[in-house]
Amino acid sequence: MSEKLNAREERKKRQEALHAENRQYWLAEEEKLFALWEKGRNPGGDEQIERLRKQGKKPVRELIGQLMDPGTEFLELSRGAGFGINYETTRDVPSAGLATGLCRVHGNWVMVIANDSRVKAGAYYPINTKKHLRAQNIAEEAGIPCVYITDSAGAFLPMQAGVFPGRGQFGRFFYNMCRMSAKGLKQYTLSTGGNTAGGAYIVYLACESIMVDKMAYAFLGGPPMVKSAIGEVVTMEDLGGAKVHTGISGGADHFVHTQDEGIAKLRELLLLEPRQKIYVERRETKEPRVAIDRLYDILPKDTYEGMNVREVLACIADDSYFSEYKKHYAPGRGDNIVCGLMYIKGLPVGVIASNNTGVIFIESARKATEWVIRCCTQKTPILYIQGSPGYMVGTKEEYGGIGKYGSDMVRACACADVPKIQWVIGPDHGAANYGMCGRAYDPRFIFHTMRARTSVMSGRTAGYILTTLERVNAKKEGREMNEEEAQKFQQMMVDKYSSEAHPFYMEARLFQDGTVPFRESRNVLAAALEISVLKPIPESNFGNFKF
């Protein structure tokens, strides 16, 4: 008896030590995330803040804080965008020169798209354009109004070919404004700085626009262009200042003297917006019985080590309750995806979650496909919790139909017209990225954790395959790779894939909407869910399955 007790105590100690090791590792990793956020929040440091102060301006996120309802949170998106992007003219465009995200104003959700003039004078690089368009896309899908806080030098001219002519570039801003306005989604602009050339349309196309006296300007061609084109000499104020557009041209609607007055006017206008409602049955919110902080203990520091996703669900589900679908189906194979229903802050959500090692077998693919269809039938949003390195390979699986059943899972994901959210807490590779609702499958939101790794395959697998190919190519050239050369090449490939799979790399390029600390996951997912059900949920049509 004492031996059993001692063994249990020993196991408990080992587990506690492992949890402590995991916690220490993830807290250190998240410090890197907070450091990145700070670079985006405060580009240029105190010197740039002082420059703004002399102009009578505030940092843009301070303005957003004034716009929001007191005591609420700003769900900022893609804070890591633009870092390490390595354009010819610059390495970093901190936060892509924009603060974008969702906040409540008079209880309603609004999308805010705000230029940060401390980053390259608010000029638009290709990554800025991509971030601006992503924010508009989210607003349109959610059916919510947009607020633009503008202070931009316009397109970054040395990179005009990457900003100007295409469908997914600068001009699409204004197309989106027109289309959303036509759908009844109001567009509001507060101009607190320059709006030149195409950028002026953000003032002119808004449903209602506000300009700050002796601070805001809007014109199709600035004073230098006017002088060059027609020889006229004119000041910025006389050409397109707030008094001109609110009192003479009619291009803007509201004249204010300060940024603070402009924010107050925005809040006044947004008070007139219709009250939003949600299109699912909301229940009473119950806090989880397992603290969210426990995620730091139970998620292994090795991304490729198996995990018990049911423990993860207990940290984010209301009352830590999860109603599981087909829990006992195909033990050891069907269990690698866990499906079921839970509530997050009173909102229902169907869950499809990677479990154990996350490798997707035939049985787990079948179960996931069935559950997607059930969620669509019941018009229940879906949360994909992704931690899968891919579908199982080999003759046994191929003969059994992994391609067919994996394709069914991909089809179900593609055709599901319920709101979908992806939360990546582990490996995210190959076709599993498709079946588990990666960017190409139009989830309303994608959030990563510091544990996420997204690439076509793992660094270790890629290193092995590419080194094998390199050996073959060397033989064709009449030489042999020695072991040292092979190991060096393999490590180079491992490092390349590992760095490109990292959440910072993915967020920098807008392949995901934000890297979220573990302790903020429940709040972020709840907000994303609520925003996703502000429109009626349509029927889903799945086409032809191969069951």
Side-chain angles (χ1 to χ4, degrees):
M1 186 69 168
S2 60
E3 286 181 8
K4 287 184 179 179
L5 283 172
N6 289 338
R8 277 202 297 270
E9 283 297 316
E10 198 59 40
R11 283 197 300 272
K12 184 180 177 183
K13 284 179 183 177
R14 283 199 301 270
Q15 188 177 56
E16 287 174 351
L18 184 62
H19 285 176
E21 191 178 335
N22 289 338
R23 173 174 288 271
Q24 184 179 12
Y25 179 81
W26 291 122
L27 289 174
E29 285 292 289
E30 287 184 358
E31 283 301 319
K32 299 174 188 176
L33 176 60
F34 301 143
L36 187 74
W37 286 358
E38 180 58 23
K39 287 180 183 178
R41 189 191 68 82
N42 196 20
D46 293 341
E47 183 181 331
Q48 285 294 317
I49 291 176
E50 180 60 20
R51 182 182 67 81
L52 288 180
R53 188 190 65 77
K54 287 178 180 177
Q55 296 173 349
K57 297 179 181 180
K58 297 178 179 180
V60 68
R61 289 169 181 81
E62 193 172 324
L63 294 177
I64 295 170
Q66 289 177 231
L67 176 67
M68 292 161 42
D69 291 344
T72 61
E73 296 291 325
F74 180 46
L75 179 57
E76 186 168 353
L77 303 172
S78 307
R79 285 184 263 196
F83 284 102
I85 208 78
N86 288 333
Y87 292 131
E88 288 182 14
T89 56
T90 185
R91 171 178 167 75
D92 293 325
V93 185
S95 280
L98 293 166
T100 66
L102 297 128
C103 65
R104 291 184 185 276
V105 182
H106 302 299
N108 278 349
W109 287 103
V110 300
M111 173 62 79
V112 180
I113 301 171
N115 300 115
D116 191 338
S117 64
R118 294 173 294 174
V119 180
K120 320 295 183 185
Y124 277 84
Y125 288 75
I127 192 63
N128 306 44
T129 304
K130 190 174 182 181
K131 184 171 177 178
H132 188 121
L133 291 172
R134 173 62 183 152
Q136 287 184 314
N137 171 249
I138 291 170
E140 185 169 10
E141 285 188 344
I144 61 177
C146 285
V147 169
Y148 305 88
I149 302 176
T150 65
D151 188 353
S152 170
F156 182 66
L157 296 180
M159 297 190 72
Q160 67 87 24
V163 174
F164 171 67
R167 181 176 183 269
Q169 295 179 344
F170 200 77
R172 193 71 175 188
F173 301 171
F174 318 122
Y175 174 91
N176 288 343
M177 290 180 76
C178 297
R179 299 286 293 187
M180 284 193 279
S181 178
K183 292 177 181 179
L185 306 178
K186 292 285 189 65
Q187 309 291 296
Y188 299 96
T189 295
L190 168 60
S191 176
T192 69
N195 301 272
T196 305
Y201 287 114
I202 293 184
V203 174
Y204 303 146
L205 289 174
C207 300
E208 295 197 55
S209 55
I210 306 161
M211 294 186 73
V212 183
D213 187 30
K214 296 182 175 61
M215 187 183 292
Y217 307 96
F219 24 62
L220 297 185
M225 184 180 286
V226 170
K227 185 178 179 181
S228 171
I230 62 173
E232 181 182 355
V233 177
V234 65
T235 66
M236 291 173 66
E237 185 66 31
D238 289 340
L239 181 63
K243 287 181 180 176
V244 168
H245 287 308
T246 59
I248 300 173
S249 79
D253 307 293
H254 304 284
F255 177 90
V256 296
H257 295 89
T258 64
Q259 286 185 326
D260 290 345
E261 193 179 333
I263 292 293
K265 175 57 73 172
L266 265 180
R267 284 190 57 84
E268 177 188 322
L269 296 176
L270 286 163
L271 180 61
L272 304 176
E273 282 284 318
R275 297 299 91 192
Q276 292 167 350
K277 61 181 180 178
I278 61 173
Y279 286 86
V280 294
E281 180 193 357
R282 187 166 211 161
R283 298 188 177 183
E284 178 188 355
T285 295
K286 295 182 179 180
E287 288 302 310
R289 288 177 283 114
V290 179
I292 189 72
D293 214 49
R294 185 163 170 75
L295 291 175
Y296 292 94
D297 299 335
I298 61 177
L299 286 169
K301 65 180 187 179
D302 180 354
T303 296
Y304 296 94
E305 185 178 329
M307 62 178 177
N308 181 354
V309 80
R310 294 179 182 91
E311 290 188 297
V312 174
L313 298 176
C315 298
I316 61 172
D318 282 10
D319 200 34
S320 297
Y321 178 72
F322 176 64
S323 176
E324 188 165 345
Y325 175 71
K326 286 195 171 179
K327 181 176 182 178
H328 303 291
Y329 172 61
R333 291 172 62 86
D335 195 48
N336 268 27
I337 287 183
V338 168
C339 300
L341 181 71
M342 66 183 188
Y343 287 80
I344 300 181
K345 295 198 174 182
L347 296 169
V349 62
V351 173
I352 298 171
S354 303
N355 191 37
N356 303 323
T357 61
V359 175
I360 302 175
F361 294 94
I362 291 167
E363 293 83 355
S364 35
R366 282 176 179 163
K367 180 168 69 171
T369 301
E370 287 181 14
W371 186 242
V372 170
I373 294 169
R374 286 172 183 254
C375 288
C376 291
T377 300
Q378 296 164 11
K379 297 190 175 182
T380 301
I382 299 173
L383 172 62
Y384 285 88
I385 302 180
Q386 165 64 332
S388 172
Y391 289 87
M392 189 60 186
V393 297
T395 53
K396 178 183 176 182
E397 218 67 12
E398 289 291 350
Y399 292 0
I402 187 63
K404 177 175 70 170
Y405 295 114
S407 295
D408 281 344
M409 187 174 163
V410 169
R411 182 190 296 276
C413 179
C415 295
D417 280 332
V418 299
K420 298 170 289 188
I421 296 169
Q422 190 197 48
W423 182 41
V424 186
I425 63 170
D428 177 26
H429 300 314
N433 172 271
Y434 309 154
M436 293 293 285
C437 204
R439 173 63 87 206
Y441 288 76
D442 281 348
R444 295 289 171 89
F445 296 94
I446 296 178
F447 299 112
H448 280 202
T449 64
M450 289 299 286
R451 196 171 185 267
R453 295 293 184 272
T454 299
S455 58
V456 69
M457 61 184 68
S458 73
R460 284 176 285 192
T461 303
Y464 176 81
I465 292 172
L466 292 170
T467 303
T468 301
L469 293 174
E470 193 70 7
R471 287 182 191 273
V472 171
N473 290 334
K475 276 190 177 182
K476 288 178 181 177
E477 295 169 3
R479 64 185 180 86
E480 291 283 341
M481 283 183 83
N482 62 48
E483 282 310 306
E484 183 180 349
E485 186 184 359
Q487 285 179 15
K488 185 177 179 181
F489 180 84
Q490 183 163 336
Q491 189 57 51
M492 184 172 67
M493 291 299 103
V494 169
D495 293 344
K496 171 182 168 61
Y497 268 72
S498 297
S499 67
E500 291 179 358
H502 194 277
F504 288 178
Y505 187 96
M506 300 299 292
E507 186 173 356
R509 290 152 184 80
L510 273 294
F511 295 135
Q512 51 112 329
D513 298 310
T515 307
V516 179
F518 289 138
R519 62 168 53 97
E520 294 182 21
S521 298
R522 174 174 153 88
N523 289 340
V524 168
L525 293 174
L529 268 174
E530 182 171 325
I531 293 158
S532 297
V533 294
L534 294 174
K535 283 171 63 175
I537 298 172
E539 302 286 344
S540 298
N541 185 351
F542 293 100
N544 297 311
F545 281 103
K546 295 182 180 178
F547 286 123

